[in-house]
Amino acid sequence: MMHKLIDDIGASLDQHNLAIFPDNQASVSQLPTDFITPLSHLSFLAISGLDSAKFMQGQLTCDVDEINLIQSRPGAHCNPKGRMLTSFHLAQCGEQDYLFSTVQDNLASLKGGLAKYIVFSKAKLTDSDYVALGLSGPKAAAFIAGIFGSAPTGPNQQLIRDEKIVIACAGDVPRFQVWLPSEQALEFWQQAVKSLVAADTSAWLLEDIRAGLANVVAATSGLFIPQMINLEQWEGVSFTKGCYTGQEIVARMKFLGKMKRHLYHFTSSASSLSPASPLYGSDSEQSIGEVVSAVSINANTTEGLAVLADKSVTNGVFSGLERRHSLSLKPLIIKD
C-alpha cells in the first residue's frame, strides 16, 4: 500500500513514518508554492452496513447525519470522561459505506474502540487499502479541477470520482487531501508531479499547524477534550445531535463550564519537541500544558501547536524543566 508507493516515487520513511525525498529542494524552511506529498502518517478504516451511520452517531463527536457524498467531517472518539482517544476525518463513499482517515499509530485504538460495540449493529469494520496524498497551492486546485471536474472550496467539502475522494482542507492557500485505492496512487502521483513539486510529508504537517489543525496521536490519547484543540471550529463536534460516548462532559464544558486550556501556535528554538512533551511556566515545577504537534523548520526552529493553561502563559512558556528554550505564542482561541 503506502510503502509500495513510497518506493515507487523514490522516497523513504523516517522514524515517524513521514515521507522524505533525498536531496529534496522543497524543504519546510522554504515551502514551495505548489506541492504534492504522500500523507504517509495516515491510515484508513472502512465501515459499512445498514446500521453504520446509526452506530457511529452514538459513538463519535461529529454529527454523522451531516456527512454525505459532498460533505465530510473531522471528529473524535472519546472515553466516558470526554477525553479524545483518537481523532479522525470521516467521509462517505457509498450509500452505506464510510472511510475513516486517522493517524497511523492510532488506527488500532480507533478500530478496537469501535469494535467493542459494533457487534450489536448491522455494520462491520474492515481494514482499507486506501492511501492519502496532500496537494497544496493554486496549481493544485487547477489539477484537482482537471481530474474531478471541479475543486471543492470550503473545509470538509468533498468530491468523488472513480473511487477517488478529494477533500478541501483549511489553510491560507488551496489545500486538498486525495484518498484513493493504493493501486491508483502511482498513476495519480505521476500526473500530479508534472505541475506540482514533490515535497516531504512535513511540509503538509507544517501547513496544518499554521492552519490550527490538530490531531490526536498515540502519545496524546486521553489528554484533551475536543474543545481544547478547537475541534468544534471545524464541525468536528455536535452539541445538538444527542448522546455519544463522553458527550455529557463535552456538553457540560460547552454550556456550563469555562475552558481553562486552549490551543496555541508556537515557535521555539527547541529542536526535540514531540507530541505530549510537557511545557512549563517561568516559576512552576508543574507542567502547564503539552505539545500537540510540532515540525522542525531547521536546526534552530520548531513550529507547532500546544494546549496550555491560559492563566499560566503570561509570564512565558518553556520546554523542559531547565527552561533553556522559550516559546513564542499566538493564541488560537476561536470560541468556547
Side-chain angles (χ1 to χ4, degrees):
M1 293 185 283
M2 179 58 81
H3 282 83
K4 184 177 188 308
L5 176 64
I6 294 297
D7 291 339
D8 289 340
I9 63 178
S12 59
L13 295 176
D14 66 12
Q15 68 271 30
H16 304 295
N17 281 319
L18 302 182
I20 53 176
F21 290 85
D23 303 319
N24 197 341
Q25 300 301 310
S27 67
V28 291
S29 60
Q30 293 181 322
L31 281 177
T33 302
D34 303 276
F35 69 83
I36 181 172
T37 185
L39 302 183
S40 52
H41 61 301
L42 299 179
S43 291
F44 288 86
L45 180 67
I47 182 169
S48 60
L50 183 65
D51 292 342
S52 53
K54 179 181 177 182
F55 165 72
M56 290 188 292
Q57 191 75 313
Q59 295 294 322
L60 311 177
T61 60
C62 55
D63 189 345
V64 180
D65 288 344
E66 295 177 349
I67 297 173
N68 50 49
L69 297 178
I70 60 172
Q71 284 287 333
S72 64
R73 288 288 183 268
H77 186 225
C78 298
N79 63 21
K81 296 181 179 180
R83 301 278 169 162
M84 296 183 293
L85 299 173
T86 58
S87 61
F88 55 79
H89 206 98
L90 180 63
Q92 186 173 11
C93 50
E95 184 177 356
Q96 299 173 356
D97 304 311
Y98 298 82
L99 274 176
F100 289 98
S101 168
T102 190
V103 177
Q104 191 175 98
D105 69 357
N106 255 350
L107 181 65
S109 175
L110 178 62
K111 184 177 181 180
L114 296 178
K116 292 178 182 178
Y117 307 102
I118 202 169
V119 293
F120 305 109
S121 302
K122 294 178 181 177
K124 63 178 180 179
L125 294 165
T126 56
D127 295 328
S128 171
D129 71 344
Y130 267 60
V131 297
L133 303 173
L135 289 77
S136 178
K139 289 183 180 179
F143 175 76
I144 290 294
I147 295 293
F148 290 87
S150 61
T153 54
N156 303 331
Q157 291 187 13
Q158 72 172 52
L159 296 171
I160 300 178
R161 181 177 178 182
D162 300 329
E163 299 183 276
K164 294 185 284 288
I165 303 171
V166 58
I167 299 171
C169 304
D172 292 335
V173 297
R175 300 173 69 229
F176 310 92
Q177 285 195 22
V178 177
W179 303 355
L180 68 174
S182 57
E183 65 269 16
Q184 297 184 23
L186 180 59
E187 181 181 0
F188 187 95
W189 178 274
Q190 290 171 336
Q191 289 179 296
V193 292
K194 294 176 182 178
S195 55
L196 306 174
V197 176
D200 297 347
T201 307
S202 55
W204 182 267
L205 297 181
L206 180 58
E207 287 195 334
D208 273 354
I209 287 168
R210 290 174 176 175
L213 298 174
N215 285 308
V216 172
V217 298
T220 55
S221 180
L223 290 182
F224 312 125
I225 65 170
Q227 292 97 314
M228 288 180 184
I229 65 165
N230 290 342
L231 189 60
E232 78 279 17
Q233 168 67 18
W234 310 113
E235 301 177 291
V237 183
S238 171
F239 297 103
T240 60
K241 72 167 187 168
C243 294
Y244 56 86
T245 303
Q247 179 266 341
E248 182 179 354
I249 303 299
V250 175
R252 184 184 303 164
M253 188 59 68
K254 168 71 173 178
F255 298 112
L256 300 176
K258 179 175 174 59
M259 287 288 295
K260 297 179 181 180
R261 291 179 173 240
H262 285 91
L263 190 67
Y264 290 78
H265 175 271
F266 71 81
T267 55
S268 173
S269 59
S271 59
S272 59
L273 293 177
S274 58
S277 294
L279 301 172
Y280 298 88
S282 60
D283 56 0
S284 172
E285 298 300 306
Q286 299 296 317
S287 169
I288 64 168
E290 298 86 16
V291 173
V292 179
S293 57
V295 169
S296 294
I297 308 299
N298 52 49
N300 300 310
T301 308
T302 295
E303 200 167 328
L305 298 172
V307 169
L308 297 168
D310 299 321
K311 69 177 184 179
S312 302
V313 303
T314 54
N315 294 324
V317 178
F318 303 84
S319 62
L321 275 171
E322 67 282 4
R323 296 174 173 80
R324 288 187 303 169
H325 302 285
S326 64
L327 276 65
S328 175
L329 299 176
K330 180 177 75 174
L332 293 172
I333 300 174
I334 306 298
K335 59 183 178 181
D336 288 342

